[in-house]
Every structure is written in C-alpha cells, then in structure tokens.
Amino acid sequence: MGRDVIIACDFSSMEKTLEFLDNFKEEKPYVKIGMELYYAAGAEIVRELKRRGHKIFLDLKLHDIPNTVKKSMAVLSSLDVDMCNLHASGTIAMMEAAIEGLTREDGTRPLLIAVTQLTSTSQERMTNDLLIDKPIDEVVMHYAHNAKLAGLDGVVCSPLEASKVKDKCGKEFLTVTPGVRFADGDIGDQVRVTTPEKAKEIGSDYIVVGRPITAAEDPVAAYRRCVAEFVGE
Ligand code: C5P
C-alpha cells in the first residue's frame, strides 16, 4: 500500500469545500471529511466528491453498541468511502461488528481505522474522569492491539507513536497521522507536530494535513510540497 497525503477538508459547507477543491486542476487529492462537514452537508458531500474522483476518509469516529455500529457501517460502506473509523474503546466486539457491517457482498470493504485515546485526552483526565489507572502510552498500545485482533487495518495516531504501533502490531498495520506541519510553518493549536519528511522516516502510511494546505496562500503548491516531502517523487 502506497503512502499518501490526505487533506483534512474542515469546512462548514459543501460550497466552501468544492470551492477549495476547484483549485486542484491536475491532481485529485485524497480528502478527509469530518463530523462538521458531514453533519452540515450530509451524504451528498461524499457522493459529490466520489463523482469528482476523490478518495475519501470519512472521519465520523463511531462508538455505540455493536449492532448499531454494524448497521451504520453498512450504510457508510454503501457510500463507497475508502476509509472510515471508530473508537477502539467501543470494545473488540464492537470493532468486529463494524467489520461485518462494512464488508460488501463481493467481499470488499473500505479500510477501517481505530482511534485509540484522543490526543486531547491527558493522562490526568483519563485517570480521573475515565478511571483508567494505567499510563496513557500503554492504553494507546493496548487499544491498537485490540484493533488488530478485531481485524482492523490500522489506527489514527501521532506520527511520534507510529513506529511503536508498528513494533506492536506489525508493519502492515496502517498508521494514519495528523499533527503535520512544515518545518518553517505555523503550528497553530497542535502540540506534538512533525514534518511530512519526518513522518515518512518514522513510517506513517498516511498523513492527514489540514491548515498547512487549506489556509495556505497557494493550496496546490502546499499540497505538492507535502507530497514531495512525504511520498518523495
Ligand atoms: O489543520 P490541521 O492540520 O491541524 O488538521 C488536522 C486534522 O486531523 C483535523 O481534521 C483534526 O480534527 C484531525 N485530528 C487531529 N488530531 C487527532 C485526530 C484527528 O488533528 N488526534
């Protein structure tokens, strides 16, 4: 499986998203649709971007009882997304149900990736709010391993965790990593960041890049720079 750059299309409407993607005349970037855009524009945004030839990571982070997740995943699979995700904290049973729901009659299915602990969750909050009395790194690795046991394809993680995940779950287990910034760029609200080049060295399979591309003066040039650094022509 080849490395790729996924643009986080964190826009609030279909119109703004299409206006942004119209900048790309030669490439069809892989795009991430998150909750804000999906809840604003609905399934039609997925259909429209598929019609335009984009690959889609639908980032809706499902977490519910196994039967509900299974049925919901079947709906997402019928939208022909390329990658979707869920919370590993929903248990192995929930993740297995998700795979069942995603798998189409012909045996194909979108890639399924797990969120372990959100990067916004600190050790302190996990211990005090969630009563999980273990070091957060251990929890992240355990959840990644559960995802692997359930048959998932990989996890979303910090690029700085990617090599540890590969050590624990095997090098085929995919790492999808946000928190990417150019060496000379603004880091914004991200804390633990890495460059596309470094993410490549560490072994990320996909980098998810939002504002360094979407807020750039020349988004196409910024995207090309990401691809050149991460994929390397
Ligand atoms: O604009 P920026 O490059 O920070 O966008 C990163 C994208 O990845 C956003 O859509 C953000 O929600 C998502 N993300 C993240 N950190 C995580 C999980 C997802 O930044 N741990």
mmCIF file of all heavy atoms in Angstrom, residues 24-57:
data_model
loop_
_atom_site.group_PDB
_atom_site.id
_atom_site.type_symbol
_atom_site.label_atom_id
_atom_site.label_comp_id
_atom_site.label_asym_id
_atom_site.label_seq_id
_atom_site.Cartn_x
_atom_site.Cartn_y
_atom_site.Cartn_z
ATOM 1 N N PHE A 24 -7.661 22.540 -7.470
ATOM 2 C CA PHE A 24 -6.830 21.431 -7.950
ATOM 3 C C PHE A 24 -7.276 21.038 -9.348
ATOM 4 O O PHE A 24 -8.342 20.458 -9.532
ATOM 5 C CB PHE A 24 -6.926 20.244 -6.982
ATOM 6 C CG PHE A 24 -6.336 20.538 -5.635
ATOM 7 C CD1 PHE A 24 -7.082 21.186 -4.662
ATOM 8 C CD2 PHE A 24 -5.013 20.215 -5.349
ATOM 9 C CE1 PHE A 24 -6.536 21.494 -3.425
ATOM 10 C CE2 PHE A 24 -4.451 20.525 -4.116
ATOM 11 C CZ PHE A 24 -5.217 21.165 -3.153
ATOM 12 N N LYS A 25 -6.462 21.386 -10.338
ATOM 13 C CA LYS A 25 -6.834 21.093 -11.724
ATOM 14 C C LYS A 25 -6.192 19.787 -12.188
ATOM 15 O O LYS A 25 -6.760 19.067 -12.984
ATOM 16 C CB LYS A 25 -6.365 22.206 -12.675
ATOM 17 C CG LYS A 25 -6.725 23.603 -12.214
ATOM 18 C CD LYS A 25 -8.165 23.964 -12.538
ATOM 19 C CE LYS A 25 -8.479 25.408 -12.172
ATOM 20 N NZ LYS A 25 -9.735 25.567 -11.454
ATOM 21 N N GLU A 26 -4.979 19.524 -11.676
ATOM 22 C CA GLU A 26 -4.257 18.346 -12.173
ATOM 23 C C GLU A 26 -4.361 17.141 -11.258
ATOM 24 O O GLU A 26 -4.392 16.010 -11.717
ATOM 25 C CB GLU A 26 -2.781 18.696 -12.383
ATOM 26 C CG GLU A 26 -2.591 19.569 -13.595
ATOM 27 C CD GLU A 26 -1.207 20.183 -13.647
ATOM 28 O OE1 GLU A 26 -0.253 19.534 -13.187
ATOM 29 O OE2 GLU A 26 -1.100 21.326 -14.130
ATOM 30 N N GLU A 27 -4.381 17.376 -9.933
ATOM 31 C CA GLU A 27 -4.441 16.245 -9.002
ATOM 32 C C GLU A 27 -5.844 16.056 -8.453
ATOM 33 O O GLU A 27 -6.652 16.983 -8.464
ATOM 34 C CB GLU A 27 -3.538 16.481 -7.788
ATOM 35 C CG GLU A 27 -2.107 16.743 -8.058
ATOM 36 C CD GLU A 27 -1.723 18.198 -8.205
ATOM 37 O OE1 GLU A 27 -2.592 19.059 -8.472
ATOM 38 O OE2 GLU A 27 -0.532 18.471 -8.054
ATOM 39 N N LYS A 28 -6.100 14.845 -7.956
ATOM 40 C CA LYS A 28 -7.347 14.548 -7.232
ATOM 41 C C LYS A 28 -6.927 14.100 -5.842
ATOM 42 O O LYS A 28 -6.730 12.902 -5.600
ATOM 43 C CB LYS A 28 -8.103 13.398 -7.907
ATOM 44 C CG LYS A 28 -8.741 13.756 -9.209
ATOM 45 C CD LYS A 28 -10.022 14.535 -8.988
ATOM 46 C CE LYS A 28 -10.600 14.983 -10.319
ATOM 47 N NZ LYS A 28 -11.429 16.173 -10.186
ATOM 48 N N PRO A 29 -6.732 15.031 -4.926
ATOM 49 C CA PRO A 29 -6.214 14.606 -3.621
ATOM 50 C C PRO A 29 -7.193 13.720 -2.856
ATOM 51 O O PRO A 29 -8.411 13.816 -3.039
ATOM 52 C CB PRO A 29 -6.043 15.933 -2.861
ATOM 53 C CG PRO A 29 -6.138 17.009 -3.861
ATOM 54 C CD PRO A 29 -6.911 16.478 -5.022
ATOM 55 N N TYR A 30 -6.616 12.846 -2.026
ATOM 56 C CA TYR A 30 -7.360 12.050 -1.041
ATOM 57 C C TYR A 30 -7.845 13.065 -0.010
ATOM 58 O O TYR A 30 -7.071 13.910 0.436
ATOM 59 C CB TYR A 30 -6.372 11.072 -0.405
ATOM 60 C CG TYR A 30 -6.920 9.795 0.185
ATOM 61 C CD1 TYR A 30 -6.278 8.578 -0.059
ATOM 62 C CD2 TYR A 30 -8.041 9.776 1.014
ATOM 63 C CE1 TYR A 30 -6.731 7.375 0.482
ATOM 64 C CE2 TYR A 30 -8.507 8.579 1.564
ATOM 65 C CZ TYR A 30 -7.851 7.396 1.303
ATOM 66 O OH TYR A 30 -8.306 6.221 1.861
ATOM 67 N N VAL A 31 -9.138 13.039 0.358
ATOM 68 C CA VAL A 31 -9.652 14.052 1.287
ATOM 69 C C VAL A 31 -10.291 13.405 2.510
ATOM 70 O O VAL A 31 -10.824 12.300 2.442
ATOM 71 C CB VAL A 31 -10.683 14.989 0.612
ATOM 72 C CG1 VAL A 31 -10.037 15.786 -0.501
ATOM 73 C CG2 VAL A 31 -11.894 14.228 0.089
ATOM 74 N N LYS A 32 -10.218 14.115 3.622
ATOM 75 C CA LYS A 32 -10.896 13.668 4.846
ATOM 76 C C LYS A 32 -12.121 14.538 5.079
ATOM 77 O O LYS A 32 -12.039 15.764 5.075
ATOM 78 C CB LYS A 32 -9.955 13.783 6.049
ATOM 79 C CG LYS A 32 -10.629 13.402 7.370
ATOM 80 C CD LYS A 32 -9.635 13.321 8.506
ATOM 81 C CE LYS A 32 -9.449 14.589 9.271
ATOM 82 N NZ LYS A 32 -10.570 14.956 10.159
ATOM 83 N N ILE A 33 -13.263 13.866 5.257
ATOM 84 C CA ILE A 33 -14.494 14.563 5.621
ATOM 85 C C ILE A 33 -14.760 14.249 7.086
ATOM 86 O O ILE A 33 -14.885 13.083 7.465
ATOM 87 C CB ILE A 33 -15.688 14.060 4.771
ATOM 88 C CG1 ILE A 33 -15.433 14.331 3.288
ATOM 89 C CG2 ILE A 33 -16.989 14.701 5.243
ATOM 90 C CD1 ILE A 33 -16.508 13.751 2.375
ATOM 91 N N GLY A 34 -14.813 15.279 7.901
ATOM 92 C CA GLY A 34 -15.049 15.076 9.336
ATOM 93 C C GLY A 34 -16.484 15.344 9.707
ATOM 94 O O GLY A 34 -17.352 15.561 8.851
ATOM 95 N N MET A 35 -16.734 15.331 11.011
ATOM 96 C CA MET A 35 -18.113 15.463 11.502
ATOM 97 C C MET A 35 -18.763 16.778 11.102
ATOM 98 O O MET A 35 -19.929 16.805 10.724
ATOM 99 C CB MET A 35 -18.127 15.386 13.029
ATOM 100 C CG MET A 35 -17.853 14.019 13.570
ATOM 101 S SD MET A 35 -18.141 14.067 15.354
ATOM 102 C CE MET A 35 -16.920 12.909 15.893
ATOM 103 N N GLU A 36 -18.009 17.873 11.185
ATOM 104 C CA GLU A 36 -18.622 19.187 10.911
ATOM 105 C C GLU A 36 -19.206 19.213 9.499
ATOM 106 O O GLU A 36 -20.383 19.520 9.290
ATOM 107 C CB GLU A 36 -17.579 20.296 11.072
ATOM 108 C CG GLU A 36 -18.139 21.683 10.803
ATOM 109 C CD GLU A 36 -17.069 22.762 10.693
ATOM 110 O OE1 GLU A 36 -15.869 22.418 10.593
ATOM 111 O OE2 GLU A 36 -17.455 23.945 10.701
ATOM 112 N N LEU A 37 -18.354 18.841 8.527
ATOM 113 C CA LEU A 37 -18.795 18.894 7.133
ATOM 114 C C LEU A 37 -19.885 17.860 6.854
ATOM 115 O O LEU A 37 -20.870 18.146 6.168
ATOM 116 C CB LEU A 37 -17.580 18.681 6.216
ATOM 117 C CG LEU A 37 -17.858 18.695 4.716
ATOM 118 C CD1 LEU A 37 -18.536 19.992 4.277
ATOM 119 C CD2 LEU A 37 -16.556 18.495 3.928
ATOM 120 N N TYR A 38 -19.732 16.655 7.424
ATOM 121 C CA TYR A 38 -20.724 15.607 7.146
ATOM 122 C C TYR A 38 -22.078 15.976 7.742
ATOM 123 O O TYR A 38 -23.115 15.798 7.111
ATOM 124 C CB TYR A 38 -20.244 14.258 7.688
ATOM 125 C CG TYR A 38 -21.113 13.113 7.207
ATOM 126 C CD1 TYR A 38 -20.955 12.597 5.924
ATOM 127 C CD2 TYR A 38 -22.098 12.577 8.020
ATOM 128 C CE1 TYR A 38 -21.762 11.570 5.459
ATOM 129 C CE2 TYR A 38 -22.910 11.544 7.564
ATOM 130 C CZ TYR A 38 -22.729 11.043 6.279
ATOM 131 O OH TYR A 38 -23.536 10.033 5.822
ATOM 132 N N TYR A 39 -22.060 16.523 8.948
ATOM 133 C CA TYR A 39 -23.344 16.898 9.566
ATOM 134 C C TYR A 39 -23.963 18.100 8.858
ATOM 135 O O TYR A 39 -25.184 18.246 8.824
ATOM 136 C CB TYR A 39 -23.170 17.178 11.065
ATOM 137 C CG TYR A 39 -22.813 15.946 11.880
ATOM 138 C CD1 TYR A 39 -21.992 16.042 13.000
ATOM 139 C CD2 TYR A 39 -23.285 14.687 11.528
ATOM 140 C CE1 TYR A 39 -21.660 14.914 13.747
ATOM 141 C CE2 TYR A 39 -22.952 13.558 12.258
ATOM 142 C CZ TYR A 39 -22.134 13.675 13.369
ATOM 143 O OH TYR A 39 -21.814 12.561 14.095
ATOM 144 N N ALA A 40 -23.128 18.950 8.280
ATOM 145 C CA ALA A 40 -23.657 20.110 7.553
ATOM 146 C C ALA A 40 -24.176 19.717 6.168
ATOM 147 O O ALA A 40 -25.227 20.179 5.732
ATOM 148 C CB ALA A 40 -22.574 21.179 7.411
ATOM 149 N N ALA A 41 -23.427 18.868 5.476
ATOM 150 C CA ALA A 41 -23.741 18.624 4.059
ATOM 151 C C ALA A 41 -24.340 17.245 3.794
ATOM 152 O O ALA A 41 -24.858 16.988 2.709
ATOM 153 C CB ALA A 41 -22.474 18.810 3.224
ATOM 154 N N GLY A 42 -24.251 16.339 4.762
ATOM 155 C CA GLY A 42 -24.858 15.013 4.621
ATOM 156 C C GLY A 42 -24.133 14.116 3.628
ATOM 157 O O GLY A 42 -23.042 14.446 3.132
ATOM 158 N N ALA A 43 -24.775 13.003 3.332
ATOM 159 C CA ALA A 43 -24.148 12.003 2.466
ATOM 160 C C ALA A 43 -23.867 12.558 1.073
ATOM 161 O O ALA A 43 -23.008 12.042 0.349
ATOM 162 C CB ALA A 43 -25.044 10.782 2.374
ATOM 163 N N GLU A 44 -24.558 13.623 0.686
ATOM 164 C CA GLU A 44 -24.372 14.179 -0.652
ATOM 165 C C GLU A 44 -22.935 14.677 -0.872
ATOM 166 O O GLU A 44 -22.423 14.596 -1.986
ATOM 167 C CB GLU A 44 -25.399 15.298 -0.893
ATOM 168 C CG GLU A 44 -25.543 15.737 -2.333
ATOM 169 C CD GLU A 44 -25.637 14.605 -3.377
ATOM 170 O OE1 GLU A 44 -26.149 13.513 -3.075
ATOM 171 O OE2 GLU A 44 -25.159 14.821 -4.504
ATOM 172 N N ILE A 45 -22.301 15.133 0.192
ATOM 173 C CA ILE A 45 -20.903 15.598 0.029
ATOM 174 C C ILE A 45 -20.003 14.405 -0.357
ATOM 175 O O ILE A 45 -19.103 14.542 -1.181
ATOM 176 C CB ILE A 45 -20.363 16.332 1.289
ATOM 177 C CG1 ILE A 45 -18.945 16.883 1.058
ATOM 178 C CG2 ILE A 45 -20.345 15.462 2.532
ATOM 179 C CD1 ILE A 45 -18.865 18.048 0.183
ATOM 180 N N VAL A 46 -20.295 13.251 0.222
ATOM 181 C CA VAL A 46 -19.497 12.066 -0.114
ATOM 182 C C VAL A 46 -19.755 11.682 -1.577
ATOM 183 O O VAL A 46 -18.815 11.463 -2.349
ATOM 184 C CB VAL A 46 -19.853 10.872 0.811
ATOM 185 C CG1 VAL A 46 -19.101 9.620 0.373
ATOM 186 C CG2 VAL A 46 -19.555 11.214 2.263
ATOM 187 N N ARG A 47 -21.022 11.654 -1.951
ATOM 188 C CA ARG A 47 -21.363 11.267 -3.337
ATOM 189 C C ARG A 47 -20.721 12.226 -4.336
ATOM 190 O O ARG A 47 -20.156 11.810 -5.344
ATOM 191 C CB ARG A 47 -22.884 11.248 -3.526
ATOM 192 C CG ARG A 47 -23.568 10.175 -2.710
ATOM 193 C CD ARG A 47 -25.002 9.945 -3.151
ATOM 194 N NE ARG A 47 -25.678 9.098 -2.178
ATOM 195 C CZ ARG A 47 -26.464 9.549 -1.192
ATOM 196 N NH1 ARG A 47 -26.716 10.847 -1.067
ATOM 197 N NH2 ARG A 47 -27.010 8.711 -0.323
ATOM 198 N N GLU A 48 -20.802 13.524 -4.035
ATOM 199 C CA GLU A 48 -20.266 14.528 -4.963
ATOM 200 C C GLU A 48 -18.741 14.390 -5.101
ATOM 201 O O GLU A 48 -18.207 14.423 -6.212
ATOM 202 C CB GLU A 48 -20.650 15.939 -4.483
ATOM 203 C CG GLU A 48 -20.118 17.077 -5.340
ATOM 204 C CD GLU A 48 -20.572 17.040 -6.805
ATOM 205 O OE1 GLU A 48 -21.617 16.413 -7.107
ATOM 206 O OE2 GLU A 48 -19.859 17.616 -7.657
ATOM 207 N N LEU A 49 -18.042 14.197 -3.971
ATOM 208 C CA LEU A 49 -16.580 14.092 -4.063
ATOM 209 C C LEU A 49 -16.159 12.782 -4.728
ATOM 210 O O LEU A 49 -15.147 12.738 -5.426
ATOM 211 C CB LEU A 49 -15.933 14.264 -2.688
ATOM 212 C CG LEU A 49 -16.153 15.637 -2.030
ATOM 213 C CD1 LEU A 49 -15.296 15.792 -0.791
ATOM 214 C CD2 LEU A 49 -15.882 16.788 -2.996
ATOM 215 N N LYS A 50 -16.941 11.715 -4.530
ATOM 216 C CA LYS A 50 -16.650 10.469 -5.252
ATOM 217 C C LYS A 50 -16.848 10.685 -6.757
ATOM 218 O O LYS A 50 -16.034 10.259 -7.561
ATOM 219 C CB LYS A 50 -17.556 9.323 -4.773
ATOM 220 C CG LYS A 50 -17.215 8.716 -3.431
ATOM 221 C CD LYS A 50 -15.825 8.176 -3.280
ATOM 222 C CE LYS A 50 -15.536 6.911 -4.055
ATOM 223 N NZ LYS A 50 -14.171 6.376 -3.716
ATOM 224 N N ARG A 51 -17.960 11.377 -7.103
ATOM 225 C CA ARG A 51 -18.210 11.663 -8.534
ATOM 226 C C ARG A 51 -17.041 12.422 -9.148
ATOM 227 O O ARG A 51 -16.693 12.227 -10.293
ATOM 228 C CB ARG A 51 -19.478 12.521 -8.689
ATOM 229 C CG ARG A 51 -20.759 11.734 -8.839
ATOM 230 C CD ARG A 51 -21.906 12.593 -9.377
ATOM 231 N NE ARG A 51 -22.353 13.617 -8.460
ATOM 232 C CZ ARG A 51 -23.289 13.443 -7.508
ATOM 233 N NH1 ARG A 51 -23.886 12.289 -7.358
ATOM 234 N NH2 ARG A 51 -23.634 14.436 -6.712
ATOM 235 N N ARG A 52 -16.445 13.324 -8.336
ATOM 236 C CA ARG A 52 -15.320 14.108 -8.842
ATOM 237 C C ARG A 52 -14.001 13.330 -8.825
ATOM 238 O O ARG A 52 -12.959 13.889 -9.170
ATOM 239 C CB ARG A 52 -15.162 15.373 -7.998
ATOM 240 C CG ARG A 52 -16.278 16.366 -8.238
ATOM 241 C CD ARG A 52 -16.162 17.528 -7.270
ATOM 242 N NE ARG A 52 -17.144 18.539 -7.610
ATOM 243 C CZ ARG A 52 -16.855 19.832 -7.764
ATOM 244 N NH1 ARG A 52 -15.633 20.283 -7.590
ATOM 245 N NH2 ARG A 52 -17.802 20.677 -8.083
ATOM 246 N N GLY A 53 -14.041 12.112 -8.322
ATOM 247 C CA GLY A 53 -12.853 11.263 -8.411
ATOM 248 C C GLY A 53 -11.926 11.285 -7.214
ATOM 249 O O GLY A 53 -10.796 10.789 -7.298
ATOM 250 N N HIS A 54 -12.378 11.838 -6.081
ATOM 251 C CA HIS A 54 -11.525 11.859 -4.890
ATOM 252 C C HIS A 54 -11.671 10.578 -4.091
ATOM 253 O O HIS A 54 -12.758 10.006 -4.023
ATOM 254 C CB HIS A 54 -11.906 13.031 -3.966
ATOM 255 C CG HIS A 54 -11.649 14.360 -4.575
ATOM 256 N ND1 HIS A 54 -10.414 14.957 -4.530
ATOM 257 C CD2 HIS A 54 -12.467 15.204 -5.253
ATOM 258 C CE1 HIS A 54 -10.485 16.127 -5.158
ATOM 259 N NE2 HIS A 54 -11.718 16.298 -5.613
ATOM 260 N N LYS A 55 -10.583 10.152 -3.451
ATOM 261 C CA LYS A 55 -10.675 9.105 -2.432
ATOM 262 C C LYS A 55 -11.098 9.787 -1.146
ATOM 263 O O LYS A 55 -10.703 10.939 -0.892
ATOM 264 C CB LYS A 55 -9.324 8.427 -2.248
ATOM 265 C CG LYS A 55 -8.991 7.445 -3.334
ATOM 266 C CD LYS A 55 -7.759 6.655 -2.936
ATOM 267 C CE LYS A 55 -7.834 5.256 -3.486
ATOM 268 N NZ LYS A 55 -6.721 4.430 -3.003
ATOM 269 N N ILE A 56 -11.861 9.069 -0.315
ATOM 270 C CA ILE A 56 -12.424 9.709 0.873
ATOM 271 C C ILE A 56 -12.176 8.918 2.149
ATOM 272 O O ILE A 56 -12.472 7.721 2.225
ATOM 273 C CB ILE A 56 -13.947 9.909 0.697
ATOM 274 C CG1 ILE A 56 -14.178 10.908 -0.440
ATOM 275 C CG2 ILE A 56 -14.591 10.429 1.996
ATOM 276 C CD1 ILE A 56 -15.599 11.105 -0.810
ATOM 277 N N PHE A 57 -11.634 9.630 3.132
ATOM 278 C CA PHE A 57 -11.554 9.127 4.513
ATOM 279 C C PHE A 57 -12.693 9.802 5.268
ATOM 280 O O PHE A 57 -12.664 11.013 5.481
ATOM 281 C CB PHE A 57 -10.183 9.486 5.104
ATOM 282 C CG PHE A 57 -10.035 9.270 6.597
ATOM 283 C CD1 PHE A 57 -10.868 8.409 7.314
ATOM 284 C CD2 PHE A 57 -9.012 9.916 7.281
ATOM 285 C CE1 PHE A 57 -10.707 8.222 8.688
ATOM 286 C CE2 PHE A 57 -8.841 9.733 8.650
ATOM 287 C CZ PHE A 57 -9.691 8.890 9.355
#
